[in-house]
Amino acid sequence: MGGRGDPPRQGRAARDPPRWGIPRDGGLAVKFLPFVLRNLARNKLRSLLTASAIALAIALVCILRTMPAGMDAFLSSIASNTRISTHNEAGMVYQMPYSYLQKVRAVPGVVAAISWQWFGGAVDASRGVEFPNFAVDPEDFGRVYEDWNVSQQALDDFRKYRDAAIVGRGTLEKKGWKLGDVITLQSTLFGLELSFRIVGEVPNPRAVQLYFQREYLVQAFAALGTPLDSTGMIWSRIDDPERVGPVMRQIDEMFRNGEAETTSETEKSFFGNFFGSLKGIVTVIMIVAGIVTLCIVFIAANTASMSVRERVGEIAILKAIGFRSRTIFTTLLAEAVLLSTVAGAAGALISLALTSLLRSSLVSTGPQLGPLTGFVVTDAILVQAIFIAFFIGILSGWLPALGASRRSVAQTLREVF
């Protein structure tokens, strides 16, 4: 009890009525979860339409995100850090003397090297080249591509039979071919028609290329009275990743001022440049994904604003009976976040089904965008999708909730009455 000269007692800061038991920490939203759910269910059709829009947008973002992710995964899956390519400095369409191969093999650090000669063969000339096919040196094929896990029996047969061919599993599945089949390819480049016996596969569903013996092509050229003494490319495997850079510099320096100057690069760099035209498509895809996300923010924000506007009277009453601004702000924001996050999770699940359909349809129609059409929704993409939906809820609900919580009781009641 205070004395007569004591200063007047200060009243306790206004707080929510004890019967509501409003906590001061982050458990506020959990405490009012039933209240939030009832408000979401108040206009079921609007909540359903908003959730559907968010879910479809998140599914679209997931599908678009699979395309650059598929390209990165493709480059990582096919590239070795010890394999390098050497080609004409003027460009890959220009040839190099075939004698370069022996000189490259003699460079210290080179474990094995083979030549690549583009054949440009097509099963049906009217449809063009459907899969890459090259003439290579069979002796060192298994050593250069030892990480491809081609069976030893296939490698032995590849060296043994002049018309042998090793085909990627992707092409085998697409064409319905199997080991032992004999196929015929018509070269769109040389005007030759050669038959091949499939003796092995590259056991990777993404592998689509076909390899056959260079000697087979040399004999075909000889039959036409034309010698084949050049090659388009040389692939080498280096014994140590630390020596890749020095070996590439030594090879290029060796052919400096030669008949054809060369450029050597790592396998990942080579395929990255080869698919360079797709990088522009990836950029466009990412921009479209960003625009879609922004559109959904506006849609969800409009829905949250409409919901708040319809409940101005209720908000005024809540404030009049003692609800604090923080409580009102948190519950309104929780509505937007909960709706968006649940819709985002549904959209992520929808993307799994849609990508499965896209993959199955591409098996029959054929991939037109190469490594961009993997359509594999990774765990990282799913987590990103849910976080995007969560932040859409925050961005869309923040301003409407903040405006409603800051409005005074008198101002709110004047708007109502």
Side-chain angles (χ1 to χ4, degrees), residues 335-379:
E335 290 179 25
V337 172
L338 182 62
L339 179 66
S340 179
T341 305
V342 172
L349 295 177
I350 292 173
S351 70
L352 291 174
L354 291 178
T355 51
S356 177
L357 291 175
L358 286 172
R359 286 196 301 272
S360 59
S361 64
L362 286 175
V363 170
S364 56
T365 61
Q368 303 300 321
L369 296 177
L372 295 183
T373 54
F375 293 125
V376 178
V377 182
T378 63
D379 293 341

Side-chain angles (χ1 to χ4, degrees), residues 99-227:
S99 59
Y100 278 17
L101 177 61
Q102 294 302 326
K103 295 179 180 178
V104 170
R105 285 173 172 169
V107 173
V110 175
V111 176
I114 61 172
S115 66
W116 266 30
Q117 179 60 54
W118 172 255
F119 181 63
V123 178
D124 183 353
S126 62
R127 301 183 61 179
V129 179
E130 299 176 85
F131 51 86
N133 39 87
F134 303 92
V136 301
D137 303 285
E139 293 78 15
D140 282 341
F141 183 84
R143 299 176 68 194
V144 171
Y145 298 107
E146 64 177 1
D147 55 317
W148 284 5
N149 300 317
V150 179
S151 69
Q152 188 59 47
Q153 181 62 48
L155 294 174
D156 292 340
D157 291 342
F158 191 45
R159 287 188 289 266
K160 182 177 179 181
Y161 301 109
R162 188 60 48 84
D163 60 345
I166 292 179
V167 186
R169 181 174 294 176
T171 296
L172 289 178
E173 293 176 350
K174 178 183 175 182
K175 293 293 184 182
W177 296 339
K178 58 184 182 300
L179 301 186
D181 284 355
V182 176
I183 62 172
T184 300
L185 297 183
Q186 183 176 352
S187 175
T188 57
L189 181 63
F190 304 122
L192 297 171
E193 186 172 291
L194 299 178
S195 296
F196 304 99
R197 183 190 328 180
I198 301 175
V199 298
E201 67 163 356
V202 179
N204 183 343
R206 290 175 174 268
V208 296
Q209 60 274 46
L210 178 148
Y211 299 99
F212 63 95
Q213 284 198 22
R214 175 185 170 85
E215 184 59 27
Y216 192 29
L217 183 61
V218 170
Q219 291 183 1
F221 267 81
L224 298 176
T226 304

Side-chain angles (χ1 to χ4, degrees), residues 113 213 252 259 272 338 381 395:
Q213 284 198 22
D252 293 339
E259 184 177 349
L338 182 62
I381 292 177
L395 293 175

